[in-house]
Short mmCIF file of all heavy atoms in Angstrom, two decimals:
data_model
loop_
_atom_site.label_atom_id
_atom_site.label_comp_id
_atom_site.label_asym_id
_atom_site.label_seq_id
_atom_site.Cartn_x
_atom_site.Cartn_y
_atom_site.Cartn_z
N MET A 1 10.81 6.93 6.39
CA MET A 1 9.37 6.82 6.57
C MET A 1 8.76 5.86 5.54
O MET A 1 9.20 5.84 4.40
CB MET A 1 8.69 8.20 6.40
CG MET A 1 9.05 9.19 7.49
SD MET A 1 8.60 8.66 9.16
CE MET A 1 6.81 8.75 9.01
N ALA A 2 7.80 5.11 5.98
CA ALA A 2 7.15 4.16 5.09
C ALA A 2 5.83 4.74 4.59
O ALA A 2 5.31 5.72 5.14
CB ALA A 2 6.86 2.86 5.84
N TYR A 3 5.31 4.13 3.52
CA TYR A 3 3.98 4.47 3.09
C TYR A 3 2.99 3.72 3.98
O TYR A 3 3.32 2.67 4.55
CB TYR A 3 3.80 4.07 1.61
CG TYR A 3 4.20 5.17 0.65
CD1 TYR A 3 5.52 5.65 0.64
CD2 TYR A 3 3.28 5.73 -0.24
CE1 TYR A 3 5.90 6.64 -0.25
CE2 TYR A 3 3.66 6.74 -1.13
CZ TYR A 3 4.96 7.18 -1.12
OH TYR A 3 5.35 8.17 -1.98
N VAL A 4 1.79 4.23 4.06
CA VAL A 4 0.73 3.56 4.81
C VAL A 4 -0.54 3.53 3.94
O VAL A 4 -0.67 4.30 3.01
CB VAL A 4 0.43 4.26 6.13
CG1 VAL A 4 1.62 4.23 7.08
CG2 VAL A 4 -0.03 5.69 5.91
N ILE A 5 -1.43 2.62 4.29
CA ILE A 5 -2.69 2.51 3.57
C ILE A 5 -3.82 2.97 4.52
O ILE A 5 -3.95 2.45 5.63
CB ILE A 5 -2.93 1.06 3.10
CG1 ILE A 5 -1.87 0.70 2.04
CG2 ILE A 5 -4.35 0.87 2.56
CD1 ILE A 5 -1.89 -0.75 1.58
N ASN A 6 -4.56 3.92 4.03
CA ASN A 6 -5.62 4.47 4.90
C ASN A 6 -6.98 3.81 4.68
O ASN A 6 -7.10 2.86 3.88
CB ASN A 6 -5.69 5.99 4.75
CG ASN A 6 -6.15 6.45 3.38
OD1 ASN A 6 -6.90 5.72 2.70
ND2 ASN A 6 -5.75 7.62 2.98
N ASP A 7 -7.99 4.30 5.34
CA ASP A 7 -9.30 3.68 5.31
C ASP A 7 -10.04 3.82 3.98
O ASP A 7 -11.11 3.25 3.81
CB ASP A 7 -10.19 4.25 6.42
CG ASP A 7 -9.73 3.82 7.81
OD1 ASP A 7 -8.92 2.84 7.88
OD2 ASP A 7 -10.12 4.42 8.80
N ASN A 8 -9.45 4.53 3.02
CA ASN A 8 -10.07 4.61 1.69
C ASN A 8 -9.95 3.30 0.91
O ASN A 8 -10.64 3.09 -0.04
CB ASN A 8 -9.41 5.71 0.86
CG ASN A 8 -9.75 7.11 1.33
OD1 ASN A 8 -10.70 7.30 2.09
ND2 ASN A 8 -8.94 8.08 0.96
N CYS A 9 -9.06 2.44 1.39
CA CYS A 9 -8.76 1.19 0.71
C CYS A 9 -10.01 0.33 0.44
O CYS A 9 -10.80 0.08 1.35
CB CYS A 9 -7.75 0.39 1.48
SG CYS A 9 -7.34 -1.23 0.76
N ILE A 10 -10.15 -0.12 -0.83
CA ILE A 10 -11.27 -0.97 -1.18
C ILE A 10 -10.83 -2.40 -1.44
O ILE A 10 -11.56 -3.21 -2.04
CB ILE A 10 -12.00 -0.42 -2.47
CG1 ILE A 10 -11.02 -0.25 -3.61
CG2 ILE A 10 -12.68 0.93 -2.14
CD1 ILE A 10 -11.65 0.12 -4.97
N SER A 11 -9.58 -2.72 -1.00
CA SER A 11 -9.05 -4.09 -1.10
C SER A 11 -9.05 -4.64 -2.51
O SER A 11 -9.35 -5.81 -2.73
CB SER A 11 -9.80 -5.03 -0.15
OG SER A 11 -9.62 -4.64 1.20
N CYS A 12 -8.66 -3.79 -3.47
CA CYS A 12 -8.64 -4.25 -4.85
C CYS A 12 -7.41 -5.12 -5.17
O CYS A 12 -7.41 -5.89 -6.08
CB CYS A 12 -8.67 -3.06 -5.80
SG CYS A 12 -7.15 -2.07 -5.79
N GLY A 13 -6.34 -4.93 -4.38
CA GLY A 13 -5.13 -5.75 -4.55
C GLY A 13 -4.15 -5.26 -5.60
O GLY A 13 -3.10 -5.88 -5.79
N VAL A 14 -4.44 -4.18 -6.28
CA VAL A 14 -3.56 -3.68 -7.34
C VAL A 14 -2.17 -3.32 -6.80
O VAL A 14 -1.15 -3.63 -7.40
CB VAL A 14 -4.19 -2.46 -8.05
CG1 VAL A 14 -3.20 -1.82 -9.02
CG2 VAL A 14 -5.43 -2.93 -8.80
N CYS A 15 -2.14 -2.68 -5.68
CA CYS A 15 -0.86 -2.24 -5.11
C CYS A 15 0.05 -3.42 -4.73
O CYS A 15 1.25 -3.36 -4.90
CB CYS A 15 -1.10 -1.36 -3.89
SG CYS A 15 -2.04 -2.14 -2.56
N GLU A 16 -0.54 -4.47 -4.24
CA GLU A 16 0.23 -5.63 -3.82
C GLU A 16 1.08 -6.15 -4.99
O GLU A 16 2.27 -6.53 -4.80
CB GLU A 16 -0.69 -6.75 -3.31
CG GLU A 16 0.04 -7.99 -2.85
CD GLU A 16 -0.90 -9.08 -2.33
OE1 GLU A 16 -2.09 -9.06 -2.70
OE2 GLU A 16 -0.46 -9.92 -1.55
N ALA A 17 0.54 -6.16 -6.19
CA ALA A 17 1.25 -6.68 -7.35
C ALA A 17 2.36 -5.74 -7.78
O ALA A 17 3.32 -6.16 -8.41
CB ALA A 17 0.27 -6.89 -8.48
N GLU A 18 2.27 -4.45 -7.45
CA GLU A 18 3.25 -3.47 -7.90
C GLU A 18 4.41 -3.28 -6.93
O GLU A 18 5.48 -2.77 -7.33
CB GLU A 18 2.55 -2.11 -8.10
CG GLU A 18 1.57 -2.09 -9.25
CD GLU A 18 2.22 -2.30 -10.60
OE1 GLU A 18 3.32 -1.80 -10.82
OE2 GLU A 18 1.63 -3.02 -11.42
N CYS A 19 4.26 -3.65 -5.72
CA CYS A 19 5.27 -3.39 -4.70
C CYS A 19 6.55 -4.20 -4.98
O CYS A 19 6.51 -5.43 -4.99
CB CYS A 19 4.74 -3.70 -3.32
SG CYS A 19 5.98 -3.37 -2.03
N PRO A 20 7.70 -3.52 -5.13
CA PRO A 20 8.96 -4.24 -5.46
C PRO A 20 9.51 -5.07 -4.31
O PRO A 20 10.33 -5.97 -4.52
CB PRO A 20 9.92 -3.09 -5.83
CG PRO A 20 9.40 -1.92 -5.11
CD PRO A 20 7.90 -2.07 -5.13
N THR A 21 9.10 -4.77 -3.07
CA THR A 21 9.63 -5.54 -1.95
C THR A 21 8.58 -6.46 -1.36
O THR A 21 8.79 -7.06 -0.30
CB THR A 21 10.13 -4.58 -0.85
OG1 THR A 21 9.03 -3.82 -0.35
CG2 THR A 21 11.18 -3.64 -1.38
N ASN A 22 7.42 -6.57 -2.03
CA ASN A 22 6.34 -7.47 -1.57
C ASN A 22 5.96 -7.23 -0.13
O ASN A 22 5.75 -8.18 0.63
CB ASN A 22 6.78 -8.93 -1.75
CG ASN A 22 6.94 -9.29 -3.21
OD1 ASN A 22 6.13 -8.90 -4.06
ND2 ASN A 22 7.99 -10.03 -3.52
N CYS A 23 5.89 -5.97 0.28
CA CYS A 23 5.59 -5.68 1.67
C CYS A 23 4.11 -5.30 1.87
O CYS A 23 3.72 -4.89 2.99
CB CYS A 23 6.51 -4.58 2.20
SG CYS A 23 6.31 -2.96 1.46
N ILE A 24 3.28 -5.46 0.84
CA ILE A 24 1.86 -5.17 0.97
C ILE A 24 1.07 -6.47 1.00
O ILE A 24 1.30 -7.38 0.21
CB ILE A 24 1.34 -4.32 -0.19
CG1 ILE A 24 2.16 -3.00 -0.28
CG2 ILE A 24 -0.15 -3.99 -0.03
CD1 ILE A 24 1.79 -2.13 -1.49
N SER A 25 0.16 -6.59 1.94
CA SER A 25 -0.66 -7.81 2.04
C SER A 25 -2.07 -7.47 2.48
O SER A 25 -2.31 -6.39 3.06
CB SER A 25 -0.01 -8.80 3.03
OG SER A 25 0.12 -8.18 4.29
N ALA A 26 -2.96 -8.38 2.22
CA ALA A 26 -4.36 -8.17 2.60
C ALA A 26 -4.53 -8.29 4.09
O ALA A 26 -3.99 -9.17 4.73
CB ALA A 26 -5.23 -9.23 1.91
N GLY A 27 -5.31 -7.36 4.66
CA GLY A 27 -5.63 -7.41 6.06
C GLY A 27 -7.09 -7.73 6.26
O GLY A 27 -7.78 -8.10 5.32
N ASP A 28 -7.58 -7.56 7.46
CA ASP A 28 -8.96 -7.88 7.76
C ASP A 28 -9.94 -6.98 7.01
O ASP A 28 -10.86 -7.46 6.32
CB ASP A 28 -9.22 -7.75 9.25
CG ASP A 28 -8.55 -8.88 10.05
OD1 ASP A 28 -8.26 -9.91 9.43
OD2 ASP A 28 -8.36 -8.73 11.25
N SER A 29 -9.75 -5.67 7.07
CA SER A 29 -10.70 -4.78 6.46
C SER A 29 -10.07 -3.96 5.33
O SER A 29 -10.77 -3.32 4.56
CB SER A 29 -11.27 -3.83 7.52
OG SER A 29 -10.24 -3.09 8.13
N LYS A 30 -8.75 -3.96 5.25
CA LYS A 30 -8.07 -3.27 4.19
C LYS A 30 -6.67 -3.83 4.03
O LYS A 30 -6.24 -4.63 4.86
CB LYS A 30 -8.01 -1.76 4.47
CG LYS A 30 -7.23 -1.40 5.74
CD LYS A 30 -7.32 0.11 5.99
CE LYS A 30 -6.62 0.54 7.25
NZ LYS A 30 -5.17 0.48 7.18
N TYR A 31 -5.97 -3.45 2.95
CA TYR A 31 -4.64 -3.91 2.78
C TYR A 31 -3.67 -3.15 3.73
O TYR A 31 -4.02 -2.05 4.21
CB TYR A 31 -4.20 -3.74 1.31
CG TYR A 31 -4.59 -4.92 0.44
CD1 TYR A 31 -5.92 -5.31 0.38
CD2 TYR A 31 -3.64 -5.62 -0.27
CE1 TYR A 31 -6.28 -6.41 -0.41
CE2 TYR A 31 -4.00 -6.72 -1.06
CZ TYR A 31 -5.31 -7.10 -1.12
OH TYR A 31 -5.67 -8.20 -1.87
N ALA A 32 -2.51 -3.75 3.96
CA ALA A 32 -1.58 -3.11 4.90
C ALA A 32 -0.15 -3.21 4.36
O ALA A 32 0.19 -4.10 3.60
CB ALA A 32 -1.67 -3.80 6.26
N ILE A 33 0.68 -2.27 4.79
CA ILE A 33 2.09 -2.22 4.38
C ILE A 33 2.96 -2.55 5.60
O ILE A 33 2.79 -1.98 6.67
CB ILE A 33 2.44 -0.81 3.84
CG1 ILE A 33 1.72 -0.55 2.52
CG2 ILE A 33 3.96 -0.68 3.66
CD1 ILE A 33 1.79 0.88 2.05
N SER A 34 3.91 -3.46 5.38
CA SER A 34 4.89 -3.78 6.42
C SER A 34 5.97 -2.67 6.39
O SER A 34 6.79 -2.62 5.50
CB SER A 34 5.51 -5.15 6.17
OG SER A 34 6.53 -5.39 7.10
N ALA A 35 5.95 -1.81 7.37
CA ALA A 35 6.81 -0.64 7.38
C ALA A 35 8.30 -0.99 7.31
O ALA A 35 9.09 -0.26 6.70
CB ALA A 35 6.54 0.20 8.62
N ASP A 36 8.68 -2.09 7.86
CA ASP A 36 10.10 -2.45 7.90
C ASP A 36 10.65 -2.74 6.50
O ASP A 36 11.84 -2.61 6.26
CB ASP A 36 10.30 -3.72 8.77
CG ASP A 36 10.18 -3.40 10.24
OD1 ASP A 36 10.16 -2.21 10.60
OD2 ASP A 36 10.06 -4.37 11.03
N ASP A 37 9.78 -3.17 5.60
CA ASP A 37 10.23 -3.53 4.25
C ASP A 37 9.93 -2.50 3.19
O ASP A 37 10.40 -2.59 2.06
CB ASP A 37 9.59 -4.84 3.84
CG ASP A 37 10.02 -6.00 4.76
OD1 ASP A 37 11.19 -6.02 5.16
OD2 ASP A 37 9.17 -6.86 5.08
N CYS A 38 9.17 -1.47 3.52
CA CYS A 38 8.83 -0.43 2.56
C CYS A 38 10.06 0.44 2.27
O CYS A 38 10.71 0.92 3.18
CB CYS A 38 7.70 0.44 3.09
SG CYS A 38 7.27 1.82 1.99
N ILE A 39 10.36 0.64 0.98
CA ILE A 39 11.50 1.44 0.58
C ILE A 39 11.08 2.80 0.05
O ILE A 39 11.86 3.55 -0.57
CB ILE A 39 12.35 0.73 -0.48
CG1 ILE A 39 11.53 0.39 -1.73
CG2 ILE A 39 12.99 -0.54 0.10
CD1 ILE A 39 12.37 -0.14 -2.90
N ASP A 40 9.81 3.17 0.30
CA ASP A 40 9.33 4.51 -0.03
C ASP A 40 9.36 4.81 -1.52
O ASP A 40 9.58 5.97 -1.90
CB ASP A 40 10.20 5.55 0.69
CG ASP A 40 9.40 6.35 1.75
OD1 ASP A 40 8.20 6.13 1.84
OD2 ASP A 40 10.03 7.16 2.44
N CYS A 41 9.14 3.84 -2.35
CA CYS A 41 9.27 4.06 -3.80
C CYS A 41 8.03 4.77 -4.39
O CYS A 41 8.12 5.39 -5.45
CB CYS A 41 9.49 2.75 -4.52
SG CYS A 41 8.03 1.67 -4.56
N GLY A 42 6.90 4.63 -3.74
CA GLY A 42 5.70 5.31 -4.24
C GLY A 42 4.92 4.56 -5.30
O GLY A 42 3.94 5.08 -5.81
N ALA A 43 5.40 3.36 -5.67
CA ALA A 43 4.69 2.61 -6.71
C ALA A 43 3.24 2.32 -6.35
O ALA A 43 2.35 2.41 -7.20
CB ALA A 43 5.43 1.30 -6.97
N CYS A 44 3.00 2.01 -5.10
CA CYS A 44 1.64 1.71 -4.67
C CYS A 44 0.73 2.93 -4.81
O CYS A 44 -0.41 2.80 -5.27
CB CYS A 44 1.62 1.24 -3.21
SG CYS A 44 2.49 2.34 -2.05
N ALA A 45 1.24 4.08 -4.44
CA ALA A 45 0.44 5.28 -4.55
C ALA A 45 0.11 5.59 -6.01
O ALA A 45 -0.98 6.10 -6.30
CB ALA A 45 1.21 6.45 -3.94
N GLY A 46 1.01 5.23 -6.90
CA GLY A 46 0.81 5.51 -8.32
C GLY A 46 -0.29 4.69 -8.94
O GLY A 46 -0.89 5.08 -9.93
N VAL A 47 -0.57 3.52 -8.41
CA VAL A 47 -1.55 2.63 -8.99
C VAL A 47 -2.88 2.57 -8.22
O VAL A 47 -3.88 2.08 -8.72
CB VAL A 47 -1.03 1.19 -9.18
CG1 VAL A 47 0.15 1.22 -10.16
CG2 VAL A 47 -0.63 0.60 -7.86
N CYS A 48 -2.90 3.04 -6.99
CA CYS A 48 -4.13 2.94 -6.18
C CYS A 48 -5.25 3.78 -6.77
O CYS A 48 -5.07 4.98 -6.98
CB CYS A 48 -3.85 3.36 -4.77
SG CYS A 48 -5.29 3.25 -3.70
N PRO A 49 -6.41 3.21 -7.06
CA PRO A 49 -7.52 3.93 -7.66
C PRO A 49 -8.25 4.88 -6.71
O PRO A 49 -9.01 5.74 -7.18
CB PRO A 49 -8.46 2.79 -8.14
CG PRO A 49 -8.21 1.70 -7.16
CD PRO A 49 -6.71 1.77 -6.87
N VAL A 50 -8.00 4.72 -5.42
CA VAL A 50 -8.73 5.59 -4.47
C VAL A 50 -7.78 6.40 -3.58
O VAL A 50 -8.18 6.95 -2.55
CB VAL A 50 -9.68 4.77 -3.60
CG1 VAL A 50 -10.80 4.16 -4.43
CG2 VAL A 50 -8.92 3.65 -2.87
N GLU A 51 -6.54 6.51 -3.99
CA GLU A 51 -5.52 7.29 -3.26
C GLU A 51 -5.44 6.92 -1.80
O GLU A 51 -5.38 7.75 -0.89
CB GLU A 51 -5.82 8.79 -3.42
CG GLU A 51 -5.72 9.23 -4.88
CD GLU A 51 -5.93 10.74 -5.08
OE1 GLU A 51 -6.20 11.44 -4.08
OE2 GLU A 51 -5.84 11.18 -6.24
N ALA A 52 -5.44 5.58 -1.55
CA ALA A 52 -5.37 5.11 -0.18
C ALA A 52 -3.94 4.88 0.30
O ALA A 52 -3.69 4.81 1.50
CB ALA A 52 -6.16 3.79 -0.03
N CYS A 53 -2.99 4.77 -0.64
CA CYS A 53 -1.58 4.60 -0.25
C CYS A 53 -0.97 6.01 -0.14
O CYS A 53 -0.89 6.75 -1.12
CB CYS A 53 -0.82 3.85 -1.32
SG CYS A 53 -1.45 2.21 -1.69
N VAL A 54 -0.54 6.35 1.06
CA VAL A 54 -0.02 7.69 1.25
C VAL A 54 1.31 7.67 2.01
O VAL A 54 1.57 6.76 2.80
CB VAL A 54 -1.01 8.56 2.04
CG1 VAL A 54 -2.27 8.80 1.19
CG2 VAL A 54 -1.41 7.92 3.34
N SER A 55 2.14 8.65 1.76
CA SER A 55 3.42 8.77 2.46
C SER A 55 3.15 9.19 3.90
O SER A 55 2.48 10.19 4.13
CB SER A 55 4.29 9.79 1.74
OG SER A 55 5.56 9.83 2.36
N ALA A 56 3.67 8.43 4.82
CA ALA A 56 3.37 8.73 6.24
C ALA A 56 4.26 9.87 6.76
O ALA A 56 5.33 10.12 6.26
CB ALA A 56 3.61 7.49 7.08
FE1 LIG B 101 5.84 -1.07 -1.58
FE2 LIG B 101 6.95 1.11 -2.65
FE3 LIG B 101 4.48 1.19 -1.67
FE4 LIG B 101 6.53 0.94 -0.04
S1 LIG B 101 6.10 2.76 -1.33
S2 LIG B 101 4.62 -0.22 0.06
S3 LIG B 101 7.94 -0.32 -1.25
S4 LIG B 101 5.15 0.01 -3.44
FE1 LIG B 102 -6.32 -0.74 -1.27
FE2 LIG B 102 -5.42 1.07 -3.05
FE3 LIG B 102 -4.06 -1.16 -2.57
FE4 LIG B 102 -6.37 -1.30 -3.88
S1 LIG B 102 -4.50 -0.28 -4.61
S2 LIG B 102 -5.68 -2.68 -2.23
S3 LIG B 102 -7.53 0.31 -2.84
S4 LIG B 102 -4.46 0.49 -1.10
#
């Protein structure tokens, strides 16, 4: 299972810099995770200020 980014995202970009597989990128209204490349490490969830990165 991959992590996902929910609607709480404020597009701060902090998680993108922390992801070891570079699978997070900016989307239209919020950031998004490419599920195929997510290794479930949880780094994004640890740094997100609004708890928008969650384990799916
Ligand atoms: Fe990237 Fe890890 Fe978050 Fe997956 S859980 S999106 S690999 S930081
Ligand atoms: Fe969105 Fe959280 Fe990532 Fe910031 S750290 S871009 S609020 S998911």
Side-chain angles (χ1 to χ4, degrees):
M1 294 300 291
Y3 271 60
V4 296
I5 293 175
N6 66 28
D7 290 345
N8 289 342
C9 177
I10 55 172
S11 296
C12 70
V14 171
C15 58
E16 181 179 21
E18 293 296 321
C19 180
T21 64
N22 295 318
C23 66
I24 303 176
S25 58
D28 289 339
S29 59
K30 61 186 179 70
Y31 273 57
I33 293 170
S34 174
D36 287 347
D37 297 322
C38 177
I39 58 171
D40 245 357
C41 71
C44 53
V47 297
C48 180
V50 293
E51 298 182 358
C53 302
V54 293
S55 184

